[in-house]
Amino acid sequence: EQESLSNEDKGVIIYGQRWWQILFYCLINFSNGILWITFAPIASETANFYGVTLNYVNALSLVFMIVYLPVVFFASWALDVKGLRFGLSVGCILTILGGWVRACAFKSSLFWVLMIGQTLAAIAQPFILNAPPKVASNWFPENERTTATTICSVANPIGVAIGFLIPPIFSDNIPILLAIEAVIVTIFGLVMLIFTRSKPPTPPSISQASTDEEFSISQLAQATKSLFTDIHYILLLIAFGIGLGCYNTLATLLEQILIVYGFGDAAAGLLGALVILCGLCGAGISGYIADTLHCYKLLLFIAFSFGALSIAAFVLVLEARNLVILGFSAALIGFCITPVIPLGLELGCEISYPIGEATPSGFLLASGQIVGIATTIGLTELINQERVLLAGWICVLAVAFAALVILPMKVTLRRREFEQNRLKLQVQT
């Protein structure tokens, strides 16, 4: 179905099926998020079942951050050079394979099999997480791109939310849990493999029409060099990395933090889901504002600033040991920090245009993994020493620093400027 036609010389068409394409993408992003966070809300039960320490359980989540770094280059190449469908298919197949390998770890002596399955799903992650701006650019017009990126980006946190809620139900039967999750990711993955397309027959925007040819490998190398010589992209890289890294660390260690204060895995699952679900609201609101006003820098500064305040509130109320108050502060964390992900990804594509969307997005996400590795390892040691408050204040200061890093950043929306200039030229001719 074609909704509108404009820019006759370029044949720009907006297709109604774009919403189906975004749904198919969200299914596999959702699935990968479930596999990543499976063991965070049942860390103690997992350690007991497999006879390992909590450090090994944390490694099941940490492997996603570690593997991301070397794989991100291949993922960017696959998405920008070989095309969206090719890259997503690689991620989808690896996610399904990882889910079933994990399901084979049905005995307490098979922790190593579990780790192999997690590693396969971790390798899949960059092929999936790098894609939201690519999906938005390939299928959506300029006035819907940030909203589309937001929807794609929050699909992974939705999977994480489900990943927080389901495991506590099956905490006494981990093999059944792994089998159920394998079935879920297989069904969703097959839908994506069958129905996903790289792009519509005709591009949906002027900028996409002008850069519709796929990247070559040499262009990808040049684009990488260009990104890392742009001080404003580097500032965004630092701030985004801190925000995403702290977010991932809190998700990974939430149950272990709450255990110190007498809460169980059910409370961890509930609070984790609150973080994600309220984050969806924050991301949706900020995405609409960004599509309307294009004030990415201001929105990021607000998100980081209030994100730091919300983490501080969570740390301050921990001693109260009141689940309702903790739930309210966890909801604030999600509402404030989750918008950083789609806003940062979309801004990265704007300031780096005409570089392919998967490349700047991939490096932004990689920076989050680097910070996540460091903070997860460091804060785990503090939590093991029951110095939870110190760990919390470190996160507060880190996110507050990210807000300050955003301030000197000069934002030039190159993709939007290109589209506006082309429109003016067409009017004149």
Side-chain angles (χ1 to χ4, degrees), residues 298-338:
L298 175 61
L299 289 171
L300 279 171
F301 177 75
I302 292 172
F304 281 124
S305 300
F306 282 91
L309 291 174
S310 63
I311 297 173
F314 184 81
V315 173
L316 290 172
V317 301
L318 272 173
E319 292 288 349
R321 301 172 192 265
N322 185 303
L323 188 59
V324 174
I325 299 175
L326 281 172
F328 181 74
S329 59
L332 284 177
I333 292 174
F335 186 86
C336 295
I337 294 186
T338 304

Side-chain angles (χ1 to χ4, degrees), residues 329-403:
S329 59
L332 284 177
I333 292 174
F335 186 86
C336 295
I337 294 186
T338 304
V340 167
I341 300 172
L343 289 172
L345 293 178
E346 195 63 19
L347 179 57
C349 293
E350 286 285 349
I351 65 177
S352 61
Y353 181 82
I355 295 172
E357 293 82 7
T359 301
S361 301
F363 289 126
L364 287 172
L365 291 165
S367 69
Q369 310 305 330
I370 293 172
V371 175
I373 293 168
T375 52
T376 299
I377 293 173
L379 299 190
T380 296
E381 290 302 314
L382 292 176
I383 292 170
N384 289 340
Q385 300 169 21
E386 297 191 358
R387 301 171 70 185
V388 175
L389 295 181
L390 176 58
W393 286 114
I394 289 174
C395 284
V396 172
L397 293 175
V399 176
F401 176 72

Side-chain angles (χ1 to χ4, degrees), residues 23-221:
L23 172 63
F24 301 145
Y25 167 78
C26 286
L27 290 178
I28 191 58
N29 200 356
F30 171 93
S31 301
N32 196 263
I34 290 178
L35 298 190
W36 168 54
I37 208 65
T38 297
F39 307 102
I42 54 169
S44 300
E45 290 83 352
T46 304
N48 291 335
F49 179 81
Y50 288 104
V52 297
T53 66
L54 285 174
N55 286 336
Y56 281 94
V57 177
N58 288 342
L60 295 170
S61 175
L62 197 61
V63 68
F64 277 74
M65 306 178 199
I66 295 172
V67 168
Y68 196 99
L69 301 178
V71 178
V72 67
F73 299 98
F74 299 101
S76 295
W77 169 82
L79 290 163
D80 277 337
V81 177
K82 302 298 289 185
L84 180 64
R85 177 175 169 77
F86 177 86
L88 288 179
S89 296
V90 173
C92 183
I93 292 169
L94 287 170
T95 298
I96 294 173
L97 185 59
W100 284 108
V101 171
R102 292 182 352 146
C104 293
F106 52 85
K107 292 183 179 179
S108 58
S109 60
L110 296 176
F111 182 82
W112 62 275
V113 175
L114 185 67
M115 181 59 77
I116 291 174
Q118 284 292 97
T119 302
L120 288 171
I123 295 171
Q125 191 184 57
F127 293 92
I128 298 168
L129 288 191
N130 289 12
K134 190 79 173 175
V135 175
S137 180
N138 281 13
W139 283 96
F140 286 79
E142 58 272 13
N143 64 324
E144 294 178 352
R145 275 196 301 251
T146 305
T147 299
T149 299
T150 299
I151 295 171
C152 288
S153 298
V154 299
N156 190 266
I158 291 175
V160 172
I162 301 300
F164 266 111
L165 291 174
I166 293 178
I169 300 173
F170 298 95
S171 60
D172 58 345
N173 200 332
I174 289 177
I176 293 296
L177 169 64
L178 298 179
I180 290 173
E181 292 188 342
V183 171
I184 291 173
V185 301
T186 300
I187 294 172
F188 288 168
L190 290 176
V191 171
M192 196 233 85
L193 285 172
I194 294 170
F195 295 108
T196 292
R197 300 291 178 266
S198 281
K199 54 190 175 183
T202 309
S205 66
I206 296 173
S207 60
Q208 185 64 18
S210 302
T211 58
D212 205 34
E213 300 81 9
E214 303 290 0
F215 254 13
S216 67
I217 295 178
S218 61
Q219 286 175 312
L220 185 62

Side-chain angles (χ1 to χ4, degrees), residues 251-310:
T252 299
L253 301 179
L254 182 60
E255 191 232 16
Q256 294 164 58
I257 292 171
L258 293 176
I259 281 178
V260 175
Y261 291 91
F263 295 100
D265 53 15
L270 176 63
L271 294 188
L274 275 175
V275 170
I276 305 302
L277 295 176
C278 292
L280 303 184
C281 297
I285 293 170
S286 63
Y288 176 79
I289 296 172
D291 264 337
T292 305
L293 302 178
H294 310 288
C295 50
Y296 296 95
K297 177 180 174 180
L298 175 61
L299 289 171
L300 279 171
F301 177 75
I302 292 172
F304 281 124
S305 300
F306 282 91
L309 291 174
S310 63

